[in-house]
Amino acid sequence: MVLLTALGSFLSGVIGSMGFGSGTVLIILMTVFLSIDQKTAQGINLLFFIPCAVYSIIFYLKKRLIKKDAVLPLVIPGLFGAAAGYLVLSFISALWLKKMFGALLIIIALKQILTMVMKKFSKSQ
């Protein structure tokens, strides 16, 4: 189980550093394989994200891949959104949170599949 946890954390860090949703990997690891409840897993995921984000920001700044003038308009609403999410979380049961997370994953997967099918269909014509 320690190896699975280390591998999942590593993959989550890699995916997060690339700008993808690393929390998906980590939350699934914790809830499905480690039997951690959804709210706790999401809290751990947020804590996990901080050092990974700081580390990634340093490298992205060095490579000049961050447009500093685009950051502030994104960060301020994001902070308000995080606060709103936390407030909403206190009213949602762990079971509903798990269902919402699963539904979000299904929606994302369906969108990706639909996009691939549409691309393939448009290329064939």
Side-chain angles (χ1 to χ4, degrees):
M1 196 58 76
V2 172
L3 181 61
L4 179 65
T5 303
L7 180 61
S9 297
F10 175 78
L11 289 175
S12 187
V14 169
I15 293 168
S17 183
M18 293 169 61
F20 300 120
S22 65
T24 304
V25 173
L26 199 58
I27 290 172
I28 290 171
L29 169 73
M30 289 187 283
T31 56
V32 174
F33 297 103
L34 302 178
S35 300
I36 296 173
D37 71 276
Q38 188 77 23
K39 285 185 179 182
T40 302
Q42 288 188 217
I44 292 169
N45 177 61
L46 290 172
L47 186 59
F48 176 88
F49 176 75
I50 294 169
C52 292
V54 169
Y55 190 72
S56 296
I57 288 168
I58 291 168
F59 283 100
Y60 276 74
L61 283 171
K62 283 184 179 181
K63 296 274 187 179
R64 293 188 166 86
L65 295 172
I66 294 177
K67 294 184 178 184
K68 294 175 187 173
D69 58 332
V71 172
L72 199 57
L74 297 171
V75 170
I76 303 275
L79 291 174
F80 282 109
Y86 176 76
L87 291 173
V88 170
L89 180 66
S90 63
F91 296 104
I92 299 173
S93 72
L95 178 63
W96 273 103
L97 190 60
K98 189 177 273 194
K99 288 179 181 184
M100 290 167 53
F101 183 70
L104 179 64
L105 292 178
I106 290 169
I107 290 167
I108 292 169
L110 290 173
K111 184 198 175 294
Q112 290 293 88
I113 291 168
L114 185 61
T115 301
M116 288 185 340
V117 168
M118 295 304 286
K119 266 188 190 175
K120 197 168 201 169
F121 181 72
S122 66
K123 283 183 180 180
S124 66
Q125 289 186 344

